[in-house]
Amino acid sequence: MKHIIIMGASSGMGRICAEIFAQKGYHVGIAARREDNLQEIQTKYPNNIVYQQIDITKDDADKQFLSLIEKNGGMDIYFHASGIGFHNEDLDYNKEISTIEVNGLGFTRMITTAFNYFKANHIKGHIACITSIAGTKGLGAAPSYSSTKRFQNTYIQSLEQLSYMHRLGITFTDIRPGFVKTELLDSKKSYPLLMDADYVSKKIIRAIENQRRIKVVNNLYAVITFFWRLIPNWLWKHLPIKN
């Protein structure tokens, strides 16, 4: 049975996916900052879930990650479900920097650790990440969020090419949901086409198991982002996209 590590498994889609993989019989290593939540999940599935408290913004996160892999008996799949974002029209500096630390530096720290683990151990592994449709265009209401999501899209693409260059056989899945009802969204705001986390998580599981390269959740968002890409910059800047 396969061994999967899920970063950002204490809540939201990461937690739902962790429980589904456990129910499927996978050996699941879960990690996040909130240790109490991780303990709660592990208690439900003591036979095939192990956990490690990891803050991906810390310098020792890579060592903690490797420790979790050892606890889990190995890793065939790395699933990065960790991330933050803010509606930040006021351009609060602290929110921008926090987003970059988690979605940029923390993301890179974990993805490179997973890539190098597979490379060092000659494993044709699989790296899957939840990014976002927000990476399609720069969003004025969420500058650092949309920018870091674009970075994630490009970074995965770059590592895919690097894997091919060195004949490593590592595969990648870039999962790009639209708005999902999780703690990440501001409960005081109204969001269009809001999707249920359980529904999205099932789509994520299928995309990972089928090793889909890019999966936009759902089809309506796929159509929306297709047309977003066609909008020229001179017109895009005039569009008041707030949510």
Side-chain angles (χ1 to χ4, degrees):
M1 186 54 67
K2 289 187 175 180
H3 297 71
I4 184 170
I5 300 292
I6 304 177
M7 195 69 60
S10 63
S11 63
M13 293 175 288
R15 176 169 183 158
I16 295 169
C17 288
E19 296 200 20
I20 293 174
F21 277 120
Q23 291 162 10
K24 284 173 168 281
Y26 283 67
H27 294 283
V28 185
I30 56 175
R33 287 183 294 180
R34 291 178 285 186
E35 188 170 6
D36 55 339
N37 286 17
L38 298 175
Q39 290 175 336
E40 181 183 327
I41 301 167
Q42 194 272 337
T43 300
K44 293 175 67 175
Y45 303 94
N47 295 325
N48 58 332
I49 285 187
V50 295
Y51 76 88
Q52 182 89 21
Q53 192 277 333
I54 300 177
D55 182 342
I56 65 174
T57 66
K58 302 299 183 183
D59 291 339
D60 68 344
D62 58 332
K63 297 180 179 62
Q64 299 296 328
F65 183 10
L66 294 173
S67 176
L68 177 59
I69 293 173
E70 186 175 351
K71 284 184 186 178
N72 197 45
M75 178 176 72
D76 305 298
I77 305 168
Y78 174 62
F79 176 33
H80 191 90
S82 178
I84 63 170
F86 301 96
H87 185 280
N88 195 22
E89 285 187 67
D90 294 331
L91 206 62
D92 180 283
Y93 171 82
N94 292 321
K95 290 181 178 179
E96 295 297 283
I97 295 302
S98 293
T99 303
I100 292 169
E101 286 177 344
V102 174
N103 296 354
L105 297 176
F107 171 87
T108 304
R109 183 177 285 116
M110 297 296 96
I111 297 298
T112 56
T113 302
F115 186 95
N116 288 329
Y117 171 84
F118 290 140
K119 180 180 179 181
N121 291 280
H122 308 288
I123 297 170
K124 294 183 178 180
H126 183 193
I127 296 175
C129 311
I130 296 179
T131 64
S132 173
I133 64 163
T136 308
K137 288 279 192 179
L139 299 175
S144 60
Y145 183 72
S146 58
S147 298
T148 53
K149 290 304 176 180
R150 175 68 69 86
F151 166 80
Q152 292 177 356
N153 300 151
T154 305
Y155 199 78
I156 294 167
Q157 185 179 53
S158 301
L159 292 191
E160 181 180 41
Q161 186 181 76
L162 183 62
S163 172
Y164 184 80
M165 288 165 57
H166 293 280
R167 294 178 171 81
L168 300 178
I170 302 170
T171 55
F172 297 83
T173 296
D174 184 347
I175 301 155
R176 304 177 184 179
F179 291 122
V180 184
K181 191 176 181 181
T182 65
E183 295 176 7
L184 188 64
L185 294 185
D186 186 344
S187 61
K188 297 178 182 178
K189 295 185 178 297
S190 175
Y191 296 90
L193 307 175
L194 191 63
M195 296 181 291
D196 180 74
D198 288 318
Y199 163 80
V200 176
S201 297
K202 289 174 183 176
K203 296 286 187 181
I204 290 171
I205 298 286
R206 188 177 304 169
I208 292 174
E209 291 191 323
N210 293 334
Q211 294 193 345
R212 288 283 300 274
R213 175 59 187 85
I214 296 174
K215 175 61 178 178
V216 179
V217 185
N218 56 18
N219 290 338
L220 185 53
Y221 276 112
V223 172
I224 290 170
T225 53
F226 173 81
F227 285 106
W228 272 11
R229 292 188 187 94
L230 300 180
I231 299 174
N233 287 338
W234 65 264
L235 177 58
W236 180 261
K237 72 178 181 180
H238 293 288
L239 300 179
I241 299 176
K242 294 183 179 291
N243 290 342

